[in-house]
Amino acid sequence: MEVATDEPFTPIKQDTKKVFRYNINWNYGLLPQTWEDPSFANNEVYGSFGDNDPVDVVEIGERRGEIGEILKINPLGALAMIDEGELDWKIVAISLDDPTASLVNDIDDVEKHFPGTLTAIRDWFKDYKIPDGKPANKFGIGNKAANKVRVQLLLFLESYSFG
């Protein structure tokens, strides 16, 4: 499912361009009213420009969300995915209602309480377009996740335009 950003009221619709060969084990969504600016070159991530979409969220809690459900989350960190040359941030978060939410406060806690999850997320997003004949996606910041403080700065910079 994707948000149709080119349609009025940006409805959630079936993505007919991509066929996913295997499932993901987390909730995938976006932060409303955010935008990855295609005119802003991020020097920390190879000078890549934003992908002209809302900022994506990967929620790692144990409950499967419903399509269109709104969750209150705690952002823990972010992966800087480079998709065909465009920067596509993946915020890693946990729902505040998750039973384990009090155990994870930053990206370092994810590996401790959800072993292998960051690797699985990175690998899935790296490889998901390969079956369609496209190259593997890359990740900035040395293939590591940015911490919570960097995520807060990212969200601030992505939300405001300085001109």
Side-chain angles (χ1 to χ4, degrees):
M1 304 302 281
E2 285 276 339
V3 173
T5 57
D6 58 346
E7 294 185 25
F9 307 110
T10 57
I12 299 171
K13 298 176 77 172
Q14 178 70 43
D15 185 348
T16 58
K17 298 176 289 183
K18 299 179 195 115
V19 177
F20 302 114
R21 308 286 191 240
Y22 54 100
N23 292 330
I24 58 175
N25 298 312
W26 49 82
N27 295 306
Y28 185 54
L30 59 92
L31 295 175
Q33 299 180 358
T34 60
W35 176 58
E36 297 191 52
D37 188 344
S39 68
F40 176 73
N42 189 314
N43 294 329
E44 286 189 278
V45 190
Y46 312 115
S48 298
F49 292 86
D51 69 353
N52 202 30
D53 282 329
V55 176
D56 296 330
V57 177
V58 179
E59 194 277 324
I60 61 171
E62 60 185 44
R63 188 180 72 77
R64 181 178 176 180
E66 299 294 325
I67 294 171
E69 181 178 2
I70 298 171
L71 299 175
K72 293 180 181 177
I73 60 165
N74 178 11
L76 305 169
L79 294 166
M81 186 175 88
I82 312 299
D83 182 355
E84 297 182 38
E86 295 179 329
L87 178 57
D88 188 2
W89 287 101
K90 305 296 180 193
I91 305 296
V92 178
I94 191 157
S95 170
L96 295 178
D97 294 330
D98 192 87
T100 60
S102 64
L103 301 175
V104 287
N105 295 303
D106 203 339
I107 202 69
D108 294 333
D109 295 332
V110 173
E111 195 58 37
K112 185 182 345 178
H113 297 286
F114 296 88
T117 297
L118 287 175
T119 298
I121 292 169
R122 190 175 30 253
D123 288 350
W124 193 90
F125 281 109
K126 178 176 66 88
D127 297 338
Y128 83 104
K129 290 186 176 181
I130 291 174
D132 296 329
K134 295 186 178 181
N137 289 319
K138 298 176 183 170
F139 288 86
I141 314 175
N143 277 336
K144 304 260 189 251
N147 65 22
K148 188 174 192 166
V149 172
R150 269 178 112 171
V151 170
Q152 291 167 336
L153 179 60
L154 156 76
L155 294 176
F156 174 78
L157 292 175
E158 290 287 338
S159 298
Y160 297 95
S161 174
F162 302 97

